[in-house]
Amino acid sequence: MLYDNHGRKINYLRLAVTDRCNLRCFYCMPEEGIQYVPRTELLSYEEMERLLKLLAPLGIEKVRITGGEPFLRKGMLDFLARIAQIEGIQQLNITTNGTLTANLVAKLPEIGVSSVNLSLDSFDEKRFFEITRRDVFPQVLETFHQLLAYKIPTKINAVVMAGKNIEDIIPLVELSRKHPVSIRFIEEMPFNGKGSNGETFIWNYKKILQHIKEVFPNLEKIPDPPHSTALNYQIPGFTGSIGIIAAYSRLFCGTCNRIRLTPQGMLKTCLYDAGVFNIRDLMRSGATDEQLITAFVQALRNRVKDGFEAERKRRPVRESMATIGG
Ligand code: SAM
Ligand code: SF4
């Protein structure tokens, strides 16, 4: 089993399968995009499968596929089907922008996908365009409707940004009235590919909560599942729920059970660290399975306590979330 030096069990891997994206979300990438790494530097499907087959017996039971936009990578459905079969992987989840997925949704349950997080920061087409800089709102909406139609457990991710989508908070909350979805409001993190230390960060979890309570004073706290990054709430009588993710305030570090692999195979033991070693290089230099396992175990022996400690060691942040996976 994988444990870190703070006694935390690690059972969750977030795998960013590509740094490419067809959107340019304001909070994630500059308008001109980011410098993509050459394809040969991305982990291949075979390399990712090899790693998952090594990590599952060590207790990694939950995997999230993210990116960049995962569905830009050719052969994604076949890859998902193969990793869902790996013994020990109990949950296979996806985070997607939903632009390319409407006609794939029907296939997800049969290949073993457990749930989908759909990024949707606004239900207003004009604001959606201003945030993502791409005119693809109808496609994302169609994915949302398909997810509901096929009863796939769905969370909506909305990054809260001053001057961009504050007027969307309440309409997004309203979605949980009739639909069995969790609407998650995420504090904006400084991972936008431009270099920033979060100096424009205003909408913290307290402010988001207060804003919702002004309209829904009966908002109730509900229990948070173990290792939840979200503080969870519900409005009595509503079908769905609300989550607030204090991603920049970092309320959840204490119970962190997750590691990340970037598209180039960099292991991150904290969202806020710069990466602790490159597993792709180790694999491509001919490392045995035992050597790869040892590398993971050792990296976790030196894990930072929390995102503040990680950040102190590496300021300023310059990367885009598309190269981390969120
Ligand atoms: N392209 C897919 C998508 O947008 O869902 C997957 C990758 S995206 C990097 C994963 C998640 O990170 C998305 O829900 C996105 O909203 C979130 N994200 C990206 N940049 C962020 C930032 N600067 N602060 C907070 N969340 C961010
Ligand atoms: Fe692309 Fe997702 Fe980043 Fe938006 S948040 S630019 S969809 S990777």
Side-chain angles (χ1 to χ4, degrees):
M1 292 293 127
L2 291 172
Y3 282 89
D4 71 10
N5 46 321
H6 306 282
R8 296 174 291 202
K9 186 176 172 189
I10 307 301
N11 62 359
Y12 178 14
L13 171 69
R14 297 178 64 102
L15 185 57
V17 293
T18 181
D19 57 350
R20 272 85 172 149
C21 195
N22 53 341
L23 302 190
R24 292 288 177 272
C25 300
F26 185 83
Y27 47 79
C28 180
M29 278 200 202
E31 188 155 15
E32 64 279 14
I34 54 170
Q35 180 79 47
Y36 293 142
V37 301
R39 275 180 210 287
T40 51
E41 289 185 21
L42 299 176
L43 283 174
S44 68
Y45 282 141
E46 292 70 26
E47 286 167 333
M48 290 189 269
E49 268 182 80
R50 179 181 177 198
L51 289 175
L52 287 169
K53 285 181 180 158
L54 289 178
L55 291 170
L58 298 177
I60 295 291
E61 53 194 13
K62 181 173 166 187
V63 175
R64 174 169 301 281
I65 301 301
T66 176
E69 175 47 40
F71 289 94
L72 280 177
R73 193 147 173 183
K74 285 201 188 76
M76 180 48 56
L77 280 190
D78 290 341
F79 173 65
L80 292 171
R82 284 198 301 278
I83 60 176
Q85 298 299 318
I86 295 175
E87 205 180 323
I89 305 291
Q90 289 171 20
Q91 268 191 56
L92 174 60
N93 305 320
I94 305 173
T95 301
T96 175
N97 63 27
T99 54
L100 307 164
T101 34
N103 57 8
L104 303 178
V105 166
K107 300 193 179 108
L108 298 180
E110 67 201 48
I111 64 177
V113 170
S114 322
S115 76
V116 172
N117 286 6
L118 178 67
S119 298
L120 187 44
D121 307 296
S122 175
F123 258 73
D124 176 274
E125 190 160 357
K126 186 165 164 282
R127 279 197 297 277
F128 176 92
F129 175 76
E130 281 164 12
I131 293 167
T132 63
R133 301 171 174 127
R134 294 293 183 271
D135 195 6
V136 287
F137 180 70
Q139 289 90 316
V140 182
L141 198 57
E142 183 55 20
T143 290
F144 177 60
H145 289 309
Q146 290 294 317
L147 289 167
L148 291 175
Y150 284 92
K151 298 190 168 32
I152 296 175
T154 298
K155 294 175 181 163
I156 302 285
N157 283 353
V159 179
V160 178
M161 296 154 290
K164 294 280 176 199
N165 64 347
I166 302 310
E167 51 277 76
D168 290 296
I169 295 177
I170 299 305
L172 283 166
V173 170
E174 275 289 348
L175 273 186
S176 73
R177 186 187 289 273
K178 291 213 176 99
H179 300 303
V181 292
S182 171
I183 315 291
R184 290 134 43 98
F185 297 102
I186 308 176
E187 286 181 354
E188 186 181 1
M189 291 177 269
F191 302 121
N192 52 23
K194 288 188 288 216
S196 136
N197 283 328
E199 59 279 349
T200 55
F201 173 64
I202 305 169
W203 279 80
N204 66 15
Y205 70 98
K206 289 184 194 156
K207 197 165 160 68
I208 298 169
L209 181 61
Q210 192 188 331
H211 184 81
I212 299 172
K213 275 191 167 164
E214 276 164 19
V215 179
F216 297 104
N218 54 348
L219 186 74
E220 278 176 3
K221 182 82 189 74
I222 56 173
D224 301 322
H227 310 290
S228 171
T229 51
L231 301 164
N232 293 279
Y233 299 86
Q234 194 165 33
I235 299 165
F238 281 32
T239 314
S241 61
I242 310 296
I244 301 181
I245 304 186
Y248 193 56
S249 305
R250 281 157 268 185
L251 293 187
F252 45 70
C253 293
T255 57
C256 184
N257 63 338
R258 61 195 62 195
I259 51 176
R260 292 176 163 79
L261 277 175
T262 72
Q264 301 108 295
M266 183 63 82
L267 173 72
K268 288 169 81 80
T269 58
C270 173
L271 178 55
Y272 284 84
D273 73 30
V276 292
F277 80 93
N278 191 300
I279 193 81
R280 177 206 61 198
D281 292 347
L282 205 55
M283 274 194 285
R284 291 186 188 176
S285 70
T288 63
D289 289 351
E290 288 68 30
Q291 287 168 328
L292 295 175
I293 290 172
T294 303
F296 277 106
V297 170
Q298 277 175 354
L300 287 168
R301 281 200 191 128
N302 292 310
R303 192 177 186 218
V304 290
K305 181 166 61 64
D306 58 32
F308 295 104
E309 185 183 332
E311 197 178 34
R312 274 197 300 278
K313 294 182 177 172
R314 52 125 4 153
R315 275 172 178 270
V317 174
R318 299 229 169 268
E319 69 211 300
S320 154
M321 194 64 102
T323 65
I324 307 175

